[in-house]
Amino acid sequence: MGWTPLFLEMDDYKVLVVGSGEVGIRRTKRFLEAGANVVVIGNHVPDDLLNLGVNVISPQEIDKWVDWADIVVTASADHKLNRDVAELSGKKLLNRADEPDKGNIIVPSSFFIGDVQISIFTGGKSPLMSKELRKKIEKVIKPEDVMQLELQSFARNILKTKIDDQKIRKKYLYNILDDKQIQILLKEGKLKDAKDYVNKWITNI
């Protein structure tokens, strides 16, 4: 199966999570925080998730809620239930947390560094290595890299009002990226000063 990474806008998506164990709760939290409407089939859901708006339902209503859902997650310890739900799901978006290669979407290990979201997928070979790779990535990306992201967005928005040609804008953005004075300011945590510097520089273009 050929997997490809995608980011999906989750606002108003309907997600059914089957299972309220560690994996099911993790999936539930991820989708809730992304703005989805989430229903869980499980014996126990922590109060913090209930407070976020998750609904807990009975397995007897499974047909109704599979039909309701845009995305179905099977993460129960009951393997027969997982298989039955997967079969009911048909061609819906299906995350088989119990058997990833039998679903059609993966929910990868994901984390933020500032506004940068990074996802790691090892093809199901090693969740442990996903965690280890995350640690290494967190060490490589520095605070000034995150500030440079903010600065690039700031500069790009200004340049769009002054220069129509995207290739020329790109050239200026690279100049900002490579500017030694800007690099010094960001290493010192002076994002505002870097923005002022860039703003004056662009004004003189």
Side-chain angles (χ1 to χ4, degrees), residues 59-120:
Q60 283 71 35
E61 302 177 279
I62 191 69
D63 292 33
K64 166 187 170 183
W65 290 104
V66 168
D67 185 60
W68 166 85
D70 299 307
I71 297 175
V72 177
V73 177
T74 59
S76 171
D78 184 336
H79 299 301
K80 182 180 183 302
L81 177 61
N82 290 336
R83 289 193 297 271
D84 290 346
V85 170
E87 187 174 339
L88 284 170
S89 298
K91 295 186 178 180
K92 287 179 179 285
L93 293 176
L94 174 65
N95 173 231
R96 290 291 302 267
D98 56 324
E99 296 183 90
D101 59 333
K102 293 186 179 180
N104 55 26
I105 61 171
I106 294 292
V107 181
S109 172
S110 184
F111 60 100
F112 280 91
I113 299 178
D115 289 332
V116 180
Q117 184 173 3
I118 299 168
S119 296
I120 301 172

Side-chain angles (χ1 to χ4, degrees), residues 6-7 21 28 34 36 41-42 44 48 50 53 55 63 78 89 100 111 134 144 153 166 173 183 196-198 201:
L6 297 169
F7 279 87
T28 298
I41 294 177
H44 176 72
D48 60 331
L50 293 173
N55 293 304
D63 292 33
D78 184 336
S89 298
F111 60 100
R134 170 177 177 166
E144 55 263 37
S153 176
Q166 188 270 337
L173 290 172
Q183 291 173 5
D196 291 341
Y197 179 94
V198 167
W201 180 71

